[in-house]
Amino acid sequence: METIIGFEIHEQLATRTKLYCDSPTNYRDVPPNTNVCEVCTGMPGAKPHPVNQEAIDAVVEIALMLGCEIVKGPIYIQRKHYDYPDLPSGYQRTSLPIGRNGNLNGINIWEVHLEEDPGKYDPTSGKVDYNRSGVPLVEIVTAPDLRSPEEARNFLRELIKILHYTGKARAEGGTMRTDTNISLEGGARVEIKNINSVKGAYKALKFEIARQKSLRKRGAAVRRETRAFLEAQMITKTMRLKEEAEDYRYIPDPDIPPLLITPEKIAEIKAAMPETPGMKERRFVAQYGVKPEDAKVLASELELANAFEEVAKEVDPQFAATWVRDELKRVLVYNDKSFAESGIGTGQVVDLLRMIQAGEITPKTGKKILEILVAKPQPVERIVEEMGLGKIKADDIIEKACEEAVAENPQAVADYLGGKGEALNYVVGQVMRKTRGRADAKTVLEMLKKKVQG
Amino acid sequence: MGGVEGVASYLESIEEGKEVNAFLDLNPRALEEARLAEGKLAGLAIAVKSNISVKGLRAACASFTLENYVAGYDATVVERIRKEGGVVVGMTNMDEFACGSSGETSAFGPTQNPAAPGRIPGGSSSGSAAAVAASLCDAALGSDTGGSIRNPASHCGIVGIKPTYGLVPRYGLIDLAMSLDQIGPMARDVHTAALLLEVIAGPNPKECTTLKVEPPEYSRLLSRKIDGCRIGYAREFEEFTDPRITSVIKKSLDRLERMGAEVVPVTLPNLGKGLSTYYLTVFVEFFSATRKFDGRRYGRKIEEVCGREVLRRILLGRYISQKEYSGKYYKKALQFRSLIKRELLGALEGVDVIAGPTVPKLPHRLGESMDPMAMYGYDVLTVPTNLAGIPAGVIKAGEVDGIPVGLQVQGEPLGEQKILNVLYALEDGGC
């Protein structure tokens, strides 16, 4: 039985001011109802300011990143009427599609458009905070192309990655809100609202599939309805049946002339747009000769990809790719951090890889240092010293230098073994040269004695 | 007069003229503001319609819905008036939420017509027109969605201007129909109306629908020289109009011809189609605009306390904006609107202005019952102007049985100066 899943994803845009007024958007940092004005609280007589250009550009960029074509004609802003305490004017403004017919990893994107966030209503206290009212949102609507909760989860992760790449969406947690449509082959479509995270989406879908399957098993029909996801219980619950569906009485907002996105504007945004993760992957393979599977991991996070490119300027790219992909990423995943969150500087990675390449530390030591770095970013040198890793380093290196010196000076070794005790001093000198004088001569002498005497 | 004494004397007149019921709220700081006033309008007493926000005064829209709502900010037009020294003396009565053409739908009682006692003053800017006609202020602000400035100006025998859509900021104007509403001046003479218009007109960067045009100084450019001016007149006006009104209007046209203007016939075959187009648009937009009066923020839910006309419009708006009808009504109305606009702009191509009657009937007696369709019929000659977004001005043309009759002069977009000049020429009283 095939599962059919589609999404409507809302993400706040990282603009400084709201969509239709000058009120700031940092509503999380201020007391309730302080980032407000007569426009975003819908005071009688207030009119929307011209649409925030930064928000329009962000939606165009996101649509382009998702492979959408940008709508050429006039794009109307519509009023969507419904009655709820968080809506100060009794309607929400939502644009008609700005981008259409996109695709992300084989999942079709039906449309991308611009909306305003409503305020925040707390049913328990009966209070409304309008700080959020009017914050711009991008809404992304997918085709029902997803076939399993796992696929859905991967898609959402990939989508978040793209939004993050643009830098135009708000990165703070909890701001991604999705509605999802799900049906089992031949069954009615159910919409689930109130999903606030990727994990939530996955859990809601898992629950819903089980619910629908069990209904079928019992011979009952799945009703066409809208259900709410209750995050705490990880279940979904009926909100309203299809017959109760609201009529939003959409009209084009008479206060706002339609948007017009010119080809010049699209070209300008395209030129300044970051690469998509896919483009980056292909470029890494072509430009640095890294393996495709490494490139995929490297491009999974913008900061990680940027760090790799920085490091690749200083050390061998393929060596860097292997280390960043295998070791750094492993430690990051283990610690459940993104590269950006870890706070590691690219300079630290460069230092570390250089030391490994120069043989100053062993790969094993290198891995240990990475773990420390992820836990607490600091200069690599300091870790080496403080953790006594320098000792390991010294022994490793001196030993190696001794081996080399013995191999390179068979005559001196033979002379020493033949009884010329001072012949070994020449070999000590060679070791000192190799270690740039940093080794202790007495230690070297002892080591050499052991070595030649086997 | 003007200045502090002027304002003081108006305040006295307002007190004495209470039976006109022109004002719903008075500005307690008017005298103080008059003392500090400087600028083009220094010390001029301005009455403001109760649907325009004046900080600290009640913008009740003559409705129980907003009975106790005190505006927290100044409308852009009010800011501009204050900047030029104009003094807001008070908030005027009106048809509830500007829904009406008689001044009778106010929740706070109808306004009297000072120029025709016992008759309606017209509406919806009834209090503003009456205040001007009764000399309770120097000038007033009205709003005009389908004739709400011009209709009462005609019935009260004063000058009223409905500007080009987008010339005057709407910021702070409580909506009737957003795509049609315009604020405009009302005054006893053309010069004052022109002066007030030039102060309030001009782009507002905080609004999407104002035009990016700096207005000229209309008052300084006023000219009575209208020889060579081509004035269009449509025969279709007569199909709707009381012949006694038509005859007054024709006399005005004759006077204009004697002053050197040329009266040219134009045709407006779709003139009568404006009304249904207009009302469908108003119902839908008004329904949308009133959703915020849900009883959560302003005390009372509009449907629970409003009068019959407001409720009728909300319910019709709710009905015709349903998904299943959206193509049938609202979108059709939008299509018809472009047709009417094309027709008017086409007619204006060959002439400087189009002149004709403002209201097809004489104002009825206060309290006389009227069915809604007859009431809507008052607007048949004024709504096309709003549908086309063009400007129009009204001036007293004469009287029928002692009742004022106003001539309406419509012009091309941003053709305010031409309109004002025609009104100015007629005002002179010559010829």
Side-chain angles (χ1 to χ4, degrees), chain A residues 22 38-39 41-51 79 81 83-85 87-91 130 247 249 251-252 254-257, chain B residues 53 69 73 170-175 178-179 205-209 284-285 287-289 291-294 296-298 318 321-323 330:
Chain A
D22 296 334
E38 62 253 18
V39 177
T41 53
M43 296 293 282
K47 306 282 180 281
H49 296 189
V51 190
R79 290 183 175 188
H81 302 90
D83 182 36
Y84 202 66
L87 263 192
S89 296
Y91 54 81
Y130 288 120
D247 182 349
R249 294 178 161 80
I251 60 162
D255 285 330
I256 308 170
Chain B
S53 308
Y69 168 66
Y73 66 101
R170 288 185 297 123
Y171 199 94
L173 170 67
I174 299 176
D175 304 318
M178 296 67 77
S179 69
K206 288 187 168 181
E207 204 174 318
C208 310
T209 54
V284 171
E285 294 190 14
F287 165 75
S288 177
R291 294 311 83 210
K292 65 180 61 174
F293 305 122
D294 56 11
R296 293 190 179 97
R297 283 163 296 265
Y298 307 105
R318 186 198 300 279
S321 61
Q322 285 176 92
K323 204 172 172 187
Y330 187 63

Side-chain angles (χ1 to χ4, degrees), chain A residues 352 361-370 384 389 392 396:
Chain A
L352 180 69
I361 52 174
T362 60
K364 205 176 145 200
T365 306
K367 288 176 195 179
K368 203 177 258 177
I369 291 173
L370 262 181
V384 170
L389 297 172
I392 298 169
D396 277 357

Side-chain angles (χ1 to χ4, degrees), chain A residues 111-397:
Chain A
E111 59 150 288
V112 177
H113 67 254
L114 180 62
E115 281 192 357
E116 63 180 337
D117 219 345
K120 214 168 193 173
Y121 173 56
D122 176 8
T124 319
S125 67
K127 287 181 180 169
V128 182
D129 176 7
Y130 288 120
N131 279 349
R132 199 179 73 177
S133 174
V135 170
L137 294 176
V138 60
E139 178 170 341
I140 299 156
V141 183
T142 77
D145 286 352
L146 296 150
R147 293 291 169 265
S148 70
E150 289 73 23
E151 204 186 339
R153 180 171 59 189
N154 286 341
F155 171 79
L156 289 179
R157 282 185 182 150
E158 196 64 21
L159 181 68
I160 288 171
K161 194 198 295 176
I162 293 216
L163 292 175
H164 187 61
Y165 253 61
T166 64
K168 301 292 156 63
R170 249 169 233 288
E172 298 109 283
T175 54
M176 189 204 70
R177 277 163 277 161
T178 86
D179 302 337
T180 176
N181 282 302
I182 170 165
S183 60
L184 299 182
E185 205 177 345
R189 198 177 73 215
V190 170
E191 185 182 15
I192 308 172
K193 288 188 175 285
N194 295 353
I195 299 171
N196 293 317
S197 64
V198 177
K199 190 181 159 203
Y202 178 76
K203 294 283 182 188
L205 288 169
K206 277 282 202 198
F207 175 87
E208 190 55 27
I209 290 168
R211 188 187 72 87
Q212 292 186 16
K213 275 190 176 156
S214 108
L215 274 173
R216 284 209 180 179
K217 224 173 259 171
R218 285 186 275 130
V222 175
R223 290 183 305 183
R224 173 110 185 249
E225 63 178 337
T226 301
R227 299 176 68 85
F229 177 58
L230 308 180
E231 185 136 34
Q233 290 133 284
M234 296 284 183
I235 61 164
T236 68
K237 205 181 123 193
T238 297
M239 266 174 95
R240 57 173 178 262
L241 299 178
K242 191 208 167 210
E243 301 79 61
E244 301 159 2
E246 273 187 272
D247 182 349
Y248 296 121
R249 294 178 161 80
Y250 285 101
I251 60 162
D253 193 320
D255 285 330
I256 308 170
L259 309 175
L260 209 58
I261 320 265
T262 62
E264 293 76 33
K265 188 78 202 177
I266 296 171
E268 185 191 309
I269 290 171
K270 265 189 184 160
M273 205 165 83
E275 285 170 302
T276 62
M279 286 159 66
K280 214 180 264 297
E281 273 174 51
R282 288 190 289 278
R283 182 169 60 80
F284 282 0
V285 173
Q287 184 176 341
Y288 301 109
V290 304
K291 284 177 274 178
E293 57 270 32
D294 287 356
K296 193 171 173 61
V297 177
L298 293 172
S300 65
E301 188 198 337
L302 181 61
E303 285 80 1
L304 189 71
N306 289 344
F308 162 70
E309 289 205 83
E310 282 299 307
V311 173
K313 280 182 198 158
E314 307 285 335
V315 296
D316 172 50
Q318 285 164 44
F319 179 71
T322 311
W323 266 84
V324 173
R325 185 228 146 129
D326 289 345
E327 300 308 329
L328 178 56
K329 187 70 187 177
R330 177 183 58 82
V331 181
L332 287 171
V333 168
Y334 183 79
N335 285 280
D336 198 20
K337 278 182 184 168
S338 68
F339 180 73
E341 285 164 348
S342 77
I344 299 176
T346 48
Q348 291 164 358
V349 181
V350 171
D351 286 349
L352 180 69
L353 297 192
R354 273 211 180 120
M355 286 167 117
I356 298 167
Q357 269 201 313
E360 291 170 31
I361 52 174
T362 60
K364 205 176 145 200
T365 306
K367 288 176 195 179
K368 203 177 258 177
I369 291 173
L370 262 181
E371 280 159 22
I372 296 164
L373 267 181
V374 171
K376 188 178 172 226
Q378 53 191 296
V380 176
E381 294 280 358
R382 197 201 297 162
I383 300 176
V384 170
E385 276 179 24
E386 281 181 9
M387 306 302 288
L389 297 172
K391 183 79 168 64
I392 298 169
K393 176 183 96 171
D395 284 351
D396 277 357
I397 289 168

